[in-house]
Amino acid sequence: MKCLVAGMLCILLVTSPQVLAQGTDDKQNFYIIRPNDTESDIIRKAANVVPTPRQLRWQQLELTAFFHIGVNTFTNREWGTGKEDPKIFNPSQLDARQWVRVAKEAGIKQVILTAKHHDGFCLWPTATTEHSVKNSPWKNGQGDVMREVVEACQEYGLGVGVYLSPWDMNSPVYGTDAYNDLFVAQLTELLTNYGQIDEVWFDGANGEGPNGKKQVYDFDRWYRHIRKLQPTATIAIMGPDVRWVGTETGYGRETEWSVVPADNLEQEAVAANSQQAVAFKPQGDMRGEVLGSREKIRNAKGLVWYPAETDVSIRPGWFYHPGEDDKVKSPEKLLDIYYSSVGRNGVLLLNIPPDTRGLIHESDVKALQGWAKLRQDTFARNFANGAKVKAAGRNKHALLDGKYDTHFTTKSAKDTTAIIELRLKGEQTFDVLMLQENISVGQRIEKFTFEYWKEGQWQKATEGTTVGYKRLLRFEPVTASKVRLRIASSRLNPTISEIGLYKNALSGANYSANKQE
Ligand code: FUL
């Protein structure tokens, strides 16, 4: 991932974010900050930046998975060399339906296949190179892993994405202009022969090819091509729709803004294209502590919706290694990761690497089942359900109606604080708070406290900064019949779509607090 970081630092030319509407108070996917904008103009603009429909769909997936499989699975390496003989790719029992079923049973909504990793070996019978499954003994060279994954996803109703590594250690044309053409040809095959593709995932690794040369990637051309062939697909990481959270631990930021500075917005292009395709260039190191704070956006030239994806592997490596069968993350660890990724306004991308048989190993299946059970047991019952809501604002019933699209908000845009009091149905015991903002109107909440009534006064159970699409907070178990959420600061009238109170299925000190890795 070091290479990815280096890649993040390089300039990206990004095409086609949508301008959703015009005017100062309208919802847009990005805003240009004008030199005469005051600080409050900037805050107001930030509060009106919204996701595109493809970004909103992606955010609502919450859980996605990676399947890393390829020649590395058979050489027991993490990175190949590009010199591997295709004949080593020979999974004895490859069953993509098992992969997708296991993912689905764990609550995962979309999977991404490593169609080509840095070694250049293609998991589909491409016409662009001989370095593919068609020259492997697997299914006598007649197999197509991409096809099997896509068909399994269609059968089980999951979204499907593709990881096509820009770095290619095998291609003889890598390091020349011809490689950008070859890459476009590979994208064309993957994005036209397999039906709907929902995500295209690029990492930033940019090493040397077989002739010792490095490639200048024509990202702009690739993005335009993807938009043309699969307009609903999100382009992730080295792409305009989704950003890397900045670590591979599975732990996102406590304060996670989906609206971040885009300092090299192409003002001319924006003006020229207004409602259509617009060019802008997110750039810079995305690993910083808080990317979208008031301090960070104060001097921004533009603001863009650019949400975080939190990727981590269920094992120490991204590819399967038999020596790691006993190092699979436990259900408890995966639950902690869930709270710290999905519960921190991110989408989790959990890698589950198939083994040399071409199956998800028993250890991983067991861990995933245990993880799903912990989540089901925890979130089966919302102790706030049936509560009587007291709040000055509009649409109180939306808080507990189970519908993300409806939300509570204060009376006017000027009311940037709120108190929402819930009289629960009798005394309840809980230790998890779940909050959701309706991000289709923007991300606004900056600071909140959650309190419960005990011995004649309000006591603090927990507090937080950003909410975003979903915020989960754990605290010491509380028994109370009256609780309240105090929103102390928001960039515009705050919205809350849903509020939940749960009892963690894992009790004990270890998981009663919000921990960092
Ligand atoms: C990185 C790659 O170098 C790793 O091998 C892995 O595929 C990870 C998800 O992305 O950039």
Side-chain angles (χ1 to χ4, degrees):
M1 193 51 93
K2 279 190 214 84
C3 301
L4 192 149
V5 174
M8 295 300 289
L9 293 166
C10 79
I11 290 177
L12 273 176
L13 182 63
V14 181
T15 57
S16 305
Q18 264 170 274
V19 176
L20 299 175
Q22 295 288 294
T24 345
D25 258 331
D26 291 327
K27 311 277 166 253
Q28 297 188 176
N29 188 233
F30 69 86
Y31 261 108
I32 289 169
I33 306 297
R34 309 279 171 200
N36 55 351
D37 278 344
T38 64
E39 184 156 355
S40 69
D41 292 335
I42 297 172
I43 299 300
R44 197 177 182 88
K45 282 184 171 179
N48 279 304
V49 178
V50 294
T52 57
R54 67 171 84 81
Q55 287 174 317
L56 184 59
R57 173 198 169 271
W58 171 86
Q59 187 84 49
Q60 292 186 298
L61 297 170
E62 298 191 5
L63 297 176
T64 62
F66 248 151
F67 294 137
H68 272 68
I69 182 171
V71 285
N72 297 340
T73 313
F74 298 90
T75 55
N76 202 19
R77 293 174 67 118
E78 273 294 297
W79 280 8
T81 61
K83 297 192 178 79
E84 291 83 2
D85 187 337
K87 293 197 174 54
I88 63 173
F89 185 83
N90 196 12
S92 49
Q93 304 167 48
L94 189 140
D95 182 3
R97 293 177 71 241
Q98 185 247 6
W99 313 352
V100 173
R101 193 173 61 243
V102 165
K104 183 173 181 159
E105 284 168 4
I108 286 159
K109 300 286 189 313
Q110 183 157 299
V111 301
I112 300 173
L113 175 70
T114 52
K116 181 182 83 167
H117 203 249
H118 309 329
D119 50 71
F121 182 76
C122 297
L123 294 179
W124 80 104
T126 173
T128 61
T129 171
E130 291 302 303
H131 201 54
S132 86
V133 281
K134 76 182 173 202
N135 288 313
S136 79
W138 177 60
K139 297 197 167 178
N140 295 318
Q142 302 299 305
D144 182 344
V145 187
M146 182 68 189
R147 172 92 45 218
E148 298 203 12
V149 170
V150 167
E151 285 180 0
C153 287
Q154 286 163 351
E155 180 182 340
Y156 287 104
L158 268 72
V160 67
V162 61
Y163 172 3
L164 190 67
S165 166
W167 185 16
D168 189 322
M169 301 176 184
N170 177 268
S171 172
V173 295
Y174 188 86
T176 71
D177 284 349
Y179 180 74
N180 283 317
D181 297 336
L182 176 132
F183 200 82
V184 166
Q186 294 189 335
L187 281 172
T188 306
E189 291 179 353
L190 291 166
L191 303 182
T192 54
N193 295 336
Y194 298 91
Q196 183 174 318
I197 300 297
D198 303 293
E199 184 162 349
V200 180
W201 204 94
F202 293 139
D203 73 318
N206 185 346
E208 292 176 359
N211 51 16
K213 286 192 202 153
K214 281 197 184 178
Q215 180 72 35
V216 179
Y217 300 141
D218 194 350
F219 278 116
D220 182 38
R221 179 175 167 204
W222 302 348
Y223 300 152
R224 273 187 277 118
H225 197 58
I226 297 164
R227 288 287 195 251
K228 198 172 83 202
L229 299 178
Q230 295 282 348
T232 59
T234 41
I235 311 175
I237 310 306
M238 294 305 284
D241 302 319
V242 170
R243 106 183 110 84
W244 182 44
V245 78
T247 81
E248 290 180 336
T249 59
Y251 290 75
R253 296 176 185 79
E254 294 267 6
T255 301
E256 184 59 84
W257 287 103
S258 295
V259 178
V260 296
D263 278 351
N264 46 356
L265 281 167
E266 299 256 285
Q267 313 243 354
E268 296 307 316
V270 170
N273 288 305
S274 71
Q275 298 280 341
Q276 300 134 38
V278 179
F280 73 100
K281 301 172 184 172
Q283 70 170 5
D285 188 342
M286 289 293 176
R287 292 171 303 169
E289 216 166 77
V290 180
L291 302 180
S293 60
R294 286 191 184 217
E295 201 193 340
K296 290 276 163 61
I297 63 175
R298 190 173 292 142
N299 299 313
K301 293 189 184 123
L303 296 168
V304 67
W305 190 272
Y306 201 32
E309 180 174 76
T310 312
D311 64 337
V312 64
S313 183
I314 195 167
R315 289 163 169 255
W318 292 101
F319 283 87
Y320 174 81
H321 307 290
E324 294 181 352
D325 285 348
D326 58 354
K327 297 194 174 70
V328 174
K329 291 186 172 59
S330 65
E332 294 76 16
K333 176 73 178 169
L334 291 171
L335 184 68
D336 201 39
I337 286 174
Y338 173 77
Y339 280 115
S340 310
S341 53
V342 176
R344 290 182 182 171
N345 190 29
V347 168
L348 177 62
L349 174 55
L350 179 67
N351 179 57
I352 316 164
D355 62 16
T356 47
R357 293 169 303 174
L359 296 173
I360 307 293
H361 190 271
E362 291 74 0
S363 317
D364 308 55
V365 174
K366 208 166 146 232
L368 290 166
Q369 286 170 345
W371 178 47
K373 176 142 182 16
L374 285 174
R375 291 189 347 259
Q376 275 149 19
D377 291 350
T378 302
F379 296 102
R381 182 156 171 222
N382 181 357
F383 292 99
N385 275 346
K388 216 166 156 295
V389 183
K390 205 172 102 189
R394 291 180 272 147
N395 233 4
K396 283 186 301 196
H397 69 273
L399 291 164
L400 293 166
D401 68 357
K403 292 185 197 134
Y404 181 70
D405 293 345
T406 62
H407 65 258
F408 160 85
T409 191
T410 50
K411 280 187 192 130
S412 87
K414 282 193 231 104
D415 303 324
T416 53
T417 63
I419 296 180
I420 300 169
E421 193 179 303
L422 305 179
R423 268 173 200 278
L424 306 177
K425 284 182 113 185
E427 285 225 314
Q428 311 290 351
T429 302
F430 44 86
D431 54 12
V432 178
L433 170 69
M434 191 276 298
L435 296 173
Q436 291 193 284
E437 264 179 280
N438 188 352
I439 58 167
S440 65
V441 299
Q443 185 185 352
R444 299 168 176 188
I445 295 171
E446 293 179 309
K447 194 170 163 43
F448 65 88
T449 307
F450 183 69
E451 297 165 325
Y452 60 101
W453 184 255
K454 194 182 165 198
E455 290 159 6
Q457 54 178 320
W458 290 108
Q459 321 241 4
K460 184 167 79 184
T462 188
E463 64 189 338
T465 51
T466 48
V467 174
Y469 172 71
K470 186 172 267 191
R471 189 72 214 265
L472 295 166
L473 282 161
R474 288 165 286 175
F475 44 87
E476 292 300 327
V478 158
T479 301
S481 57
K482 201 162 84 173
V483 296
R484 71 177 188 183
L485 175 71
R486 275 199 304 118
I487 300 172
S489 171
S490 176
R491 291 179 174 179
L492 206 56
N493 53 305
T495 73
I496 298 277
S497 282
E498 290 299 309
I499 185 164
L501 293 175
Y502 304 95
K503 181 73 195 71
N504 209 328
L506 257 189
S507 46
N510 270 357
Y511 294 95
S512 62
N514 293 285
K515 298 187 308 167
Q516 285 286 353
E517 171 71 322

